[in-house]
Amino acid sequence: MSELKVGLAGLGTVGAAVFRMLERRKAELEARTGRTLRVTAVAARDRSRDRGLDLGGVIWFEDPVALARDGDIDVFVELMGGDGDPAKAAVAAALDRGIPVVTANKALLAKCGVELAQRAEASRAGLHFEAAVAGGIPIVKTLRESLAGNTIERVSGILNGTCNYILTRMAEEKLSFHVCLGEAQRLGYAEADPTFDIDGFDTAHKLAILTSLAFGTQVDADSIYVEGIRQLTLADLEAADDLGYRVKLLGVAVRTETGIEQRVHPTMVPKHWPIAQVSGVTNAVAVDGDAVALTLVGPGAGGAATASAVVGDLFDVARGARGYTFGLPVAELTKAERAAMQRHEGGYYIRLAVVNKPGTAATIARRMADEQISLESIMQRRPDGAETARVILITYATTEEAVRRAIAAIEADGVISALPQVIRIEKD
Ligand SMILES: NC(=O)c1ccc[n+]([C@@H]2O[C@H](COP(=O)([O-])OP(=O)(O)OC[C@H]3O[C@@H](n4cnc5c(N)ncnc54)[C@H](O)[C@@H]3O)[C@@H](O)[C@H]2O)c1
Ligand SMILES: N[C@@H](CCO)C(=O)O
Ligand code: NA
């Protein structure tokens, strides 16, 4: 039986899980592909660390680029992370010599996806990345292959397991943000630098990749409007709950008259919507095509779930599957538009810390009216002993521009004492 010699760079949460999965599923993968998938060479930082893996007979490279460039391998698997070298240099080196690459690295693809796809095209080596978006959910294949007959209007969803895990545990167990983040790190969900997760960039990286696959654009994370979850408080999540909503960090790419709008921000969604019930590390991706609309739900992070996607890509490599990296030749990918957030329309949750003095409520109401913003509800509460009161406004549909202007005017009136909180609302 012919061998598929796998070179594996990175033996952390995902790399170690891939190594184990290839061992455990060896016989089944042989039966399905007619080939033996064997890790023959690895590169990682610390050779002395006990990872519980049997690395006997596996060649150890100190330098992942040397493994990609010189290793006796048939496929290079990049599971180190990072949007620069050595990940980029290693992936480029493998592709340039015609060796297919499997990676879980969305940061690298978001930054260098077009260049790497060009290299893959030039050498006719495949660049596979199912694990890079929504972990174990097979959304890359679904968009690139299974839905090829559709014109896609919108792709949206919960794309970061760490954030969804934090928001779920905060809302359900009233735990602090930092306790929940620490747990997500301990469970292997978070990025090496978790600011990528909580500030929304990881979701943006994944959305940029989905947008390319769905709409035929060049991957361009810089054209995405991004807000993360760092500023959300337990009080916001409790207020959302009282009002019948859950807060989710959503990534949305939608076709508009002026181009593809891409945005990432916390969003209040009605509790009875299916996406509101997606909890913990689970991700969900909804695709609206002209023939098929569907939602895929599954584990978005974690060693085993992510390894499942990596091994699926290795299965494709073993069978000789080919195709354009983002579904089209690079020369045919169009430029993505920058999201015009000021034109965004919808309901808004606005939390203000107001100073307790006569006329404050009237000032707020007047500034909202000046911008033609209709209020669905106003709640005011003064925590015991506090000098300031918390005012929560829920608006009917309005524009981002109007909300920003009204808040700027209220700030100029000197009636608020802290930065306002604004969360967009999606309604039935
Ligand atoms: N953890 C997840 O749930 C998950 C899910 C999907 C995608 N990913 C992606 O998978 C990749 C790996 O993530 P992880 O969670 O396994 O990370 P990790 O930090 O647990 O492991 C990274 C591994 O790469 C090695 N490494 C890092 N820099 C290196 C260098 N310069 N030279 C040699 N080795 C180096 C480290 O030694 C370690 O073995 C990242 O791109 C991440 O975004 C992770
Ligand atoms: N840190 C990422 C890993 C999966 O890409 C997450 O939490 O979703
Ligand atoms: Na995936």
Side-chain angles (χ1 to χ4, degrees):
M1 191 171 297
S2 82
E3 223 176 31
L4 183 81
K5 288 177 270 187
V6 179
L8 185 53
L11 285 175
T13 303
V14 184
V18 167
F19 192 96
R20 281 189 211 102
M21 197 173 276
L22 287 176
E23 296 270 289
R24 189 165 45 81
R25 297 279 301 163
K26 184 168 173 285
E28 290 83 356
L29 290 166
E30 277 176 353
R32 287 174 187 230
T33 63
R35 301 184 73 177
T36 302
L37 280 68
R38 193 162 72 83
V39 178
T40 55
V42 295
R45 274 203 194 110
D46 183 359
R47 191 167 186 168
S48 62
R49 202 172 127 207
D50 180 13
R51 299 173 172 86
L53 307 175
D54 179 7
L55 295 174
V58 176
I59 300 168
W60 186 281
F61 280 76
E62 296 300 331
D63 175 8
V65 184
L67 164 59
R69 194 186 50 222
D70 307 321
D72 176 20
I73 54 175
D74 302 310
V75 56
F76 178 68
V77 182
E78 186 280 302
L79 298 172
M80 296 178 288
D83 65 6
D85 294 340
K88 184 183 176 199
V91 168
L95 292 175
D96 289 351
R97 70 166 172 141
I99 300 269
V101 170
V102 176
T103 181
N105 190 339
K106 51 272 157 130
L108 177 64
L109 290 165
K111 188 169 173 195
C112 312
V114 173
E115 180 197 327
L116 295 174
Q118 271 163 342
R119 288 178 188 268
E121 243 172 85
S123 70
R124 298 174 152 271
L127 173 54
H128 307 258
F129 52 89
E130 184 59 77
V133 186
I137 300 177
I139 186 61
V140 172
K141 254 185 218 190
T142 300
L143 278 173
R144 194 179 49 206
E145 292 153 32
S146 315
L147 297 180
N150 286 254
T151 301
I152 310 283
E153 294 302 327
R154 179 182 162 107
V155 184
S156 60
I158 296 171
L159 302 175
N160 185 271
T162 300
C163 286
N164 207 49
Y165 177 86
I166 293 172
L167 292 175
T168 304
R169 294 207 64 191
M170 280 177 74
E172 288 179 1
E173 299 168 56
K174 315 286 180 231
L175 295 173
S176 79
F177 182 91
H178 289 286
V179 166
C180 299
L181 172 59
E183 272 297 285
Q185 289 179 290
R186 194 183 59 77
L187 292 164
Y189 302 157
E191 295 302 300
D193 175 356
T195 57
F196 279 92
D197 296 295
I198 61 183
D199 290 335
F201 300 118
D202 179 77
T203 301
H205 293 152
K206 292 164 176 165
L207 186 68
I209 294 168
L210 290 182
T211 300
S212 180
L213 293 164
F215 302 106
T217 54
Q218 295 173 4
V219 180
D220 178 12
D222 291 339
S223 66
I224 302 179
Y225 174 85
V226 185
E227 264 176 41
I229 65 164
R230 188 191 289 271
Q231 75 289 0
L232 296 175
T233 64
L234 259 179
D236 293 320
L237 302 190
E238 281 168 7
D241 187 56
D242 288 348
L243 291 158
Y245 296 95
R246 297 230 163 89
V247 183
K248 298 289 175 191
L249 183 69
L250 296 189
V252 179
V254 59
R255 195 188 292 280
T256 70
E257 281 169 12
T258 51
I260 309 299
E261 177 185 295
Q262 300 176 79
R263 51 193 167 84
V264 173
H265 51 74
T267 308
M268 282 168 51
V269 287
K271 273 184 201 172
H272 63 273
W273 283 17
I275 202 143
Q277 339 248 306
V278 174
S279 63
V281 72
T282 307
N283 283 190
V285 192
V287 183
D288 293 346
D290 56 348
V292 170
L294 53 76
T295 301
L296 301 182
V297 179
T306 312
S308 164
V310 172
V311 171
D313 278 348
L314 285 170
F315 176 83
D316 275 351
V317 171
R319 292 187 311 157
R322 288 188 176 278
Y324 293 111
T325 304
F326 295 106
L328 281 171
V330 171
E332 288 183 29
L333 298 172
T334 56
K335 277 223 63 73
E337 300 292 319
R338 194 158 227 305
M341 271 320 279
Q342 292 296 324
R343 289 207 302 269
H344 176 79
E345 284 182 33
Y348 282 78
Y349 162 102
I350 303 166
R351 170 170 56 76
L352 304 170
V354 303
V355 289
N356 265 324
K357 64 179 184 191
T360 297
T363 303
I364 293 170
R366 191 176 64 248
R367 292 306 186 187
M368 292 287 153
D370 288 349
E371 296 298 335
Q372 314 291 322
I373 298 172
S374 277
L375 295 176
E376 186 182 299
S377 71
I378 304 184
M379 288 177 293
Q380 175 163 348
R381 201 172 295 152
R382 181 156 66 92
D384 286 344
E387 295 285 304
T388 58
R390 185 189 306 146
V391 172
I392 291 171
L393 310 171
I394 303 294
T395 78
Y396 285 110
T398 179
T399 64
E400 179 96 12
E401 199 173 16
V403 168
R404 295 293 168 192
R405 268 203 309 255
I407 289 176
I410 294 168
E411 280 178 317
D413 290 333
V415 296
I416 56 179
S417 62
L419 279 180
Q421 171 73 287
V422 175
I423 306 176
R424 296 162 192 88
I425 305 177
E426 295 218 357
K427 297 186 191 187
D428 289 310

